[in-house]
Amino acid sequence: MGSAAASPPPSGKLTQDELKRVAAHRAVEFVEPGMTLGLGTGSTAAHALDRLGDLLRAGALPGVAGVPTSLKTEAHASAVGIPLLPLDAASGARIALSIDGADEVDPDLNLVKGRGGSLLREKMIEGAGERFVVIVDESKLVPRLGCTGAIPVEVIPFGAPHTLGLIRNLFDGLPGFHARLRTVPKTKGDDGSEQPFVTDNGNYIVEMFFEDGIRGDLRNISDRLLRITGVVEHGMFLGMATTVIVANLDGTVAVMGRKK
């Protein structure tokens, strides 16, 4: 993959949030007037939304509109003045560019996304566009997917424990593998009990954990997961990113392109 690096700022090391902002602002430089954008979800993508809002209010990006990947992004984009379109309305104009963060990026620019629970809408919208620019800080670069945390799988609520069992069976005998249903504290009561996390689509999330990341053919693993009845989608975004912008701790920015 090709890369280019910008010069570091005169100050010292940046905080992680500052790194996210640097990467997000660099990604927004790809946006041109009249574009329809896929608007990502998460703390890094939020900086891109703020920057887009600033440029729109300044009149620098006339005709730009966005398709949000979550209800949270929809609310944020509306608050900063980004005109919004539903995915079906955007299909005629074509999504020219999507901008979003990622939980992990491997050397081939495959991604783990959706630890915040928005993976299905993210994959639908970002997969519908012409270009997908991913914005991360260097802590998200990994040798293999699944090295730093969960790989999420969205499942329908009906029979979710059964579907969880089928996912576990898929990796039966793999040392260090485990999977669980994501839960959150109940909104009522203080007895410490939990309930399943519910996505914007009304589904549940199964979290898969690997001791040292996923080894093997990722596309084959993807296909096997998607053949499980009850699985809606998973958080491996394979071959989707066209550009990854990485903000390094020393303030430099690397722009990496997908291998041809």
Side-chain angles (χ1 to χ4, degrees), residues 60-147:
L61 291 175
V64 165
V67 183
T69 56
S70 68
L71 297 177
K72 184 176 182 179
T73 293
E74 181 178 343
H76 188 158
S78 295
V80 298
I82 301 172
L84 298 178
L85 296 170
L87 179 58
D88 55 349
S91 60
R94 183 72 170 166
I95 297 172
L97 173 69
S98 294
I99 299 174
D100 204 354
D103 300 302
E104 293 181 345
V105 181
D106 79 3
D108 294 318
L109 306 191
N110 296 313
L111 317 172
V112 170
K113 287 180 49 57
R115 289 179 184 165
S118 301
L119 65 96
L120 177 58
R121 296 191 188 193
E122 288 174 336
K123 191 172 281 191
M124 289 178 68
I125 291 167
E126 290 153 6
E130 296 175 6
R131 289 187 292 163
F132 178 22
V133 176
V134 178
I135 44 180
V136 296
D137 65 81
E138 65 177 300
S139 71
K140 307 299 184 182
L141 302 181
V142 296
R144 287 173 301 284
L145 299 187
C147 281

Side-chain angles (χ1 to χ4, degrees), residues 172-250:
D172 185 41
L174 182 66
F177 172 82
H178 70 282
R180 68 188 183 196
L181 194 66
R182 179 183 297 177
T183 59
V184 293
K186 286 188 174 180
T187 54
K188 294 183 179 180
D190 56 0
D191 59 356
S193 58
E194 300 204 334
Q195 61 189 8
F197 171 89
V198 179
T199 71
D200 287 349
N201 313 299
N203 295 320
Y204 293 169
I205 294 288
V206 168
E207 298 177 313
M208 304 190 305
F209 295 90
F210 297 82
E211 188 172 58
D212 190 30
I214 302 181
R215 297 177 183 271
D217 185 331
L218 294 178
R219 293 192 180 276
N220 178 263
I221 293 168
S222 167
D223 290 345
R224 291 165 66 193
L225 277 168
L226 294 174
R227 284 199 295 267
I228 296 174
T229 303
V231 167
V232 180
E233 191 50 88
H234 59 70
M236 292 186 293
F237 285 49
L238 307 179
M240 291 181 60
T242 53
T243 303
V244 175
I245 297 174
V246 184
N248 298 306
L249 195 58
D250 61 4

